[in-house]
Amino acid sequence: MLEIKNLHATVSGKEILKGVNLTVKPGEIHALMGINGAGKSTLSNVLVGHPAYTVTEGSITFRGKDLLAMSPDERSHEGLFLSFQQPVEIPGVSMVNFMRAALNAKRKYWGLEPMDAGAFLKLMREKRKIVELDNKLTSRSVNEGFSGGEKKRNEIFQMAMLEPSMCILDETDSGLDVDALRIVAEGFNKLRKPETSAIVITHYQRLLDYLKPDFVHVLIDGRIVKDGGPELAAEIERRGFDWIKDEVQGAVSL
Amino acid sequence: MQEQQYLDFFHAQRNQLDTCSCDMLNAHRDEALAAFQRLGFPSQKVERYKYTDVAAAFAPNYGISLRKEPFLGDFHAVQDLYGTLADVNADGLTALNTMLVQDMVVINVRAGEQKEHPVQITNTMRATAPLMQNRRLMIIAEAGAHVQVILTDKAEAGQDFLVTQVTEVFVGQGAHVELYDIEDSHERCHRFHQVFSQVEAGGHLTHVTFTLASGVTRNQTDVRLIGAGADAQLLGCAITNGTQHVDNNTLIDHRAPEGTSRELYKYVVDQQSTGAFAGRVLVREEAQQTDSIERNANLVCTEQARMWTQPMLEIYADDVKCSHGSTVGQLNNDALFYMLQRGISEAEARTLLKQAFASEVLQEIPLESLRQRLHVLIEKRFRSCEDCKLCKS
Ligand SMILES: Nc1ncnc2c1ncn2[C@@H]1O[C@H](COP(=O)(O)OP(=O)(O)OP(=O)(O)O)[C@@H](O)[C@H]1O
Ligand SMILES: [Mg+2]
């Protein structure tokens, strides 16, 4: 589904990703952990084609196509979705108009007619319920005046609307209270189809308890330095990252 | 001398102008002529005209079509008010309009009368050769009267047009006037609209100026608050692209205590177009407890587009609450990218963001039906023809 090979990327001339390799197969959930500033969000931004980030080396293949050759909106149509670490507020653009534009753009890309207004609103209602997003929020401007947790819930609501095949959740758990975390995580599980894949970026075990990742990777200083199963996340929760850093340094000095 | 052709025209047509017009308009021509001869077209050295080249706009040879039938209206009831706000000796354009005007619309709402429906005046320019038109409008809301007036200015494509318009608005004690001026013309139209308003004690004026499309537009909006507690709300929105030029020059003159004024102008300036906003708020010594907020916000979409903004606050009273400010910015890139990630095309995302920017002015518009109509017109304006479904639906 997604194959990242030797990915190097810079932002403002500074190299942040220094050779990332990662393969995600359909239906797999990969957790990505690592210290602050390691490059996790940079990787998500590069995947969705953020113009501030420049890929200097390497390749990304998504569903057999060259992802780096696609514009950000094409990547979205092809099934890539990023739940942003910090969703932006867009005053004056209503949630309804925003979602309708997004959904219809995708339908157009796949050769489908725009969805009629009634069916669209019904779909909004259904999906809103899954993440228990308040009606009041979907009748406002995009993220405007939403609390931190509401913004994250709204990200998952949008995911529900667009039904992506590859979801990147960048710290979707941060800012959520315990109940909200459960609702969002259970919502995600309900929404995902067997073939839906995900890269879940998180600092905490709790979200992973719900999402049950198949693999856990540790990103440090722009490289994935350790891979493991769910037990790796549990170990990081207990011991932090220092022991991994020591391991890496040990390996280098050998 | 761009003035000469207008003076020649006036002298040659004086007889026809007078015979097919009314006494009220004729009575002011000589004074206007003398003023125009003295003042000429305002040059860009004049502070309030520094952003728009008036003489250049009047240089081409426009035809003026005159009335050929006698004028039947009877304006005696309002003749003492005519020209009292629009001072020919203060401004060459006011003088030119007063000199040449032959026709006029007067909306006079009697004391206490509440007009249930808005009055709409639609001007559609249509001609087979370049045409100039000089318009005059007077709105008089007597004490306690209530009226909404909508002006829509359109022009058929494919021709050059030049319009001068002078509007005088008298808002009596406790009266309520909403004036909506919506220009939706095209790049070959030049328009100079001067609106002079006066609000008496406890009266309220909402004045909304929308430039959806035009060539060169200069709107001058002068409001005097002359009675205690008078209130004015000025709203404006200009959407420009191509080589358009829109200049809004406003003056809110607080001459009495406890007056309130709110002003919001927003521009979306695209391609090579230029926008100018100069808004002066004057709080005189006698205007204690004035409460005034003025804001101008602009979105400049390209490197070539230009926006001049000049909010001015001049306060001579000591007990007032006033603020003013302006911003010039680009589209928010984070918002743009967020939309792209959700699959919205860049063109569509830009359109939605521009619409969102302009919609802040719409939200302030009291007349619900017009607000909705303007929503549609703005959307139409921002969309190129091929991806607009509005005509078809
Ligand atoms: N747009 C940008 N401009 C400049 N520097 C950037 C930009 N984006 C990221 N960086 C820098 O790149 C490095 C990696 O940042 P990134 O956001 O990818 O880290 P992260 O692993 O997601 O961290 P966190 O766990 O705190 O979210 C940091 O040093 C950051 O300051
Ligand atoms: Mg991050």
Side-chain angles (χ1 to χ4, degrees):
Chain A
M1 158 139 290
L2 179 74
E3 203 172 3
I4 304 171
K5 279 191 190 152
N6 189 32
L7 185 70
H8 291 251
T10 60
V11 56
S12 324
K14 194 172 112 199
E15 183 165 65
I16 307 293
L17 299 183
K18 301 169 180 173
V20 173
N21 292 291
L22 180 66
T23 302
V24 180
K25 299 213 175 74
E28 287 178 355
I29 294 197
H30 291 243
L32 188 61
M33 304 184 79
I35 54 171
N36 295 131
K40 303 178 298 296
S41 294
T42 299
L43 179 62
S44 350
N45 280 313
V46 168
L47 285 170
V48 293
H50 194 293
Y53 300 82
T54 313
V55 173
T56 50
E57 217 185 311
S59 66
I60 309 174
T61 317
F62 181 54
R63 301 169 90 191
K65 294 182 186 164
D66 177 6
L67 188 75
L68 295 175
M70 292 182 217
S71 62
D73 48 328
E74 275 178 86
R75 297 181 197 204
S76 171
H77 301 325
E78 285 289 337
L80 199 57
F81 181 93
L82 171 61
S83 166
F84 285 85
Q85 184 171 353
Q86 276 153 346
V88 289
E89 302 194 7
I90 317 181
V93 176
S94 71
M95 272 304 295
V96 173
N97 283 347
F98 169 74
M99 239 26 269
R100 195 188 355 244
L103 196 71
N104 284 336
K106 181 171 187 172
R107 291 177 66 89
K108 190 174 167 193
Y109 181 83
W110 291 107
L112 298 169
E113 286 292 305
M115 194 176 252
D116 79 68
F120 173 77
L121 291 175
K122 185 162 166 274
L123 187 70
M124 286 254 310
R125 245 190 334 267
E126 278 169 24
K127 302 289 185 176
R128 191 162 55 70
K129 288 212 181 97
I130 298 176
V131 288
E132 298 181 22
L133 188 70
D134 199 303
N135 188 19
K136 282 203 269 315
L137 296 181
T138 46
S139 59
R140 275 202 235 158
S141 291
V142 179
N143 290 327
E144 194 186 24
F146 287 29
S147 74
E150 286 166 346
K151 283 180 185 164
K152 295 304 174 80
R153 237 185 244 223
N154 190 19
E155 294 292 285
I156 302 304
F157 162 71
Q158 293 171 43
M159 188 189 107
M161 290 293 292
L162 295 170
E163 303 187 328
S165 55
M166 172 83 224
C167 310
I168 307 161
L169 308 186
D170 192 354
E171 298 196 24
T172 300
D173 49 351
S174 75
L176 290 178
D177 64 46
V178 179
D179 293 327
L181 178 68
R182 178 182 45 79
I183 292 160
V184 163
E186 283 175 354
F188 178 85
N189 284 338
K190 232 183 286 176
L191 292 164
R192 72 181 270 245
K193 302 196 181 89
E195 66 278 13
T196 310
S197 317
I199 296 175
V200 181
I201 298 170
T202 181
H203 291 293
Y204 306 104
Q205 176 66 36
R206 195 186 292 270
L207 177 65
L208 300 179
D209 288 341
Y210 289 107
L211 301 189
K212 308 211 182 329
D214 304 289
F215 302 95
V216 175
H217 311 278
V218 178
L219 187 78
I220 290 177
D221 192 23
R223 282 189 202 89
I224 290 177
V225 295
K226 196 168 180 63
D227 309 282
E231 74 291 343
L232 180 55
E235 195 165 2
I236 290 168
E237 181 101 344
R238 263 187 296 118
R239 299 174 62 192
F241 288 106
D242 281 350
W243 63 280
I244 301 177
K245 278 195 247 175
D246 291 343
E247 260 183 35
V248 178
Q249 267 152 17
V252 171
S253 63
L254 269 177
Chain B
M1 255 287 270
Q2 313 301 356
E3 288 82 3
Q4 197 56 48
Q5 61 168 322
Y6 296 92
L7 293 167
D8 292 345
F9 173 85
F10 177 74
H11 291 303
Q13 303 295 331
R14 175 76 194 248
N15 190 38
Q16 165 112 49
L17 275 167
D18 282 348
T19 45
C20 298
S21 188
C22 63
D23 295 346
M24 180 177 85
L25 299 181
N26 292 340
H28 289 253
R29 286 194 212 287
D30 286 323
E31 191 191 3
L33 170 66
F36 184 64
Q37 276 172 324
R38 193 178 70 252
L39 297 165
F41 288 116
S43 92
Q44 288 185 272
K45 294 197 191 88
V46 176
E47 177 65 23
R48 296 194 72 181
Y49 282 89
K50 70 177 177 193
Y51 301 114
T52 302
D53 186 350
V54 178
F58 285 78
N61 191 4
Y62 288 94
I64 301 177
S65 65
L66 294 180
R67 280 181 71 89
K68 303 216 167 42
E69 319 83 49
F71 192 95
L72 298 173
D74 176 10
F75 290 156
H76 282 94
V78 298
Q79 67 181 12
D80 291 344
L81 293 175
Y82 176 73
T84 55
L85 299 179
D87 180 2
V88 291
N89 290 305
D91 183 294
L93 275 182
T94 312
L96 179 75
N97 176 278
T98 308
M99 185 175 107
L100 295 177
V101 71
Q102 208 187 11
D103 242 330
M104 155 154 215
V105 175
V106 174
I107 297 169
N108 187 4
V109 187
R110 304 277 178 215
E113 195 181 337
Q114 316 268 314
K115 288 273 171 222
E116 196 185 331
H117 299 293
V119 179
Q120 183 173 1
I121 301 172
T122 299
N123 288 299
T124 304
M125 299 294 280
R126 184 180 301 162
T128 50
L131 180 71
M132 179 194 196
Q133 198 183 41
N134 300 292
R135 300 179 193 146
R136 196 87 187 199
L137 169 66
M138 198 146 71
I139 299 168
I140 302 142
E142 296 176 7
H146 187 301
V147 66
Q148 297 164 312
V149 178
I150 305 170
L151 311 176
T152 46
D153 221 341
K154 300 173 191 202
E156 280 192 354
Q159 194 51 262
D160 297 327
F161 296 110
L162 173 63
V163 171
T164 74
Q165 179 166 345
V166 173
T167 300
E168 292 174 283
V169 182
F170 299 84
V171 184
Q173 278 197 15
H176 178 111
V177 174
E178 293 168 25
L179 174 61
Y180 301 94
D181 178 12
I182 297 148
E183 181 180 10
D184 192 2
S185 63
H186 56 72
E187 67 279 3
R188 291 176 65 181
C189 296
H190 288 66
R191 185 180 101 128
F192 295 85
H193 191 188
Q194 298 178 295
V195 185
F196 302 95
S197 306
Q198 169 176 293
V199 187
E200 290 179 38
H204 169 82
L205 171 70
T206 290
H207 183 167
V208 181
T209 308
F210 259 77
T211 311
L212 289 164
S214 72
V216 171
T217 295
R218 181 181 182 275
N219 297 311
Q220 180 178 328
T221 302
D222 290 14
V223 185
R224 290 180 200 165
L225 303 177
I226 60 164
D231 174 41
Q233 180 186 28
L234 265 52
L235 298 168
C237 179
I239 300 166
T240 65
N241 63 359
T243 55
Q244 255 184 279
H245 173 79
V246 176
D247 177 356
N248 279 291
N249 192 295
T250 73
L251 166 64
I252 301 176
D253 184 356
H254 284 269
R255 296 185 177 196
E258 292 157 36
T260 47
S261 61
R262 295 288 178 269
E263 182 169 16
L264 174 66
Y265 271 77
K266 290 190 120 180
Y267 285 62
V268 180
V269 186
D270 208 343
Q271 298 175 339
Q272 297 91 264
S273 62
T274 52
F277 171 82
R280 181 169 166 225
V281 176
L282 171 60
V283 184
R284 295 181 192 251
E285 208 180 329
E286 54 273 34
Q288 295 295 351
Q289 276 140 8
T290 288
D291 176 348
S292 167
I293 302 174
E294 179 191 28
R295 192 160 71 88
N296 167 230
N298 310 290
L299 203 55
V300 177
C301 304
T302 66
E303 298 261 321
Q304 293 77 37
R306 287 278 171 278
M307 180 72 212
W308 288 282
T309 169
Q310 195 182 5
M312 288 166 281
L313 187 53
E314 228 176 292
I315 305 176
Y316 300 98
D318 47 31
D319 179 19
V320 299
K321 215 168 73 189
C322 298
S323 74
H324 71 312
S326 75
T327 56
V328 177
Q330 280 91 42
L331 286 179
N332 178 346
N333 279 326
D334 291 333
L336 199 59
F337 185 71
Y338 189 78
M339 295 168 104
L340 293 184
Q341 205 304 302
R342 298 307 187 240
I344 299 172
S345 72
E346 185 162 346
E348 178 69 13
R350 285 182 186 280
T351 302
L352 289 172
L353 289 174
K354 287 182 204 170
Q355 260 175 262
F357 183 81
S359 73
E360 191 193 350
V361 179
L362 286 183
Q363 278 158 21
E364 297 291 322
I365 290 182
L367 185 57
E368 166 77 25
S369 53
L370 186 67
R371 185 164 67 227
Q372 288 172 8
R373 176 71 188 146
L374 281 169
H375 245 297
V376 174
L377 290 175
I378 286 177
E379 179 167 2
K380 223 167 158 169
R381 177 65 173 86
F382 281 128
R383 288 182 191 287
S384 57
C385 261
E386 65 254 38
D387 59 21
C388 165
K389 291 160 233 88
L390 294 163
C391 302
K392 288 161 218 159
S393 70

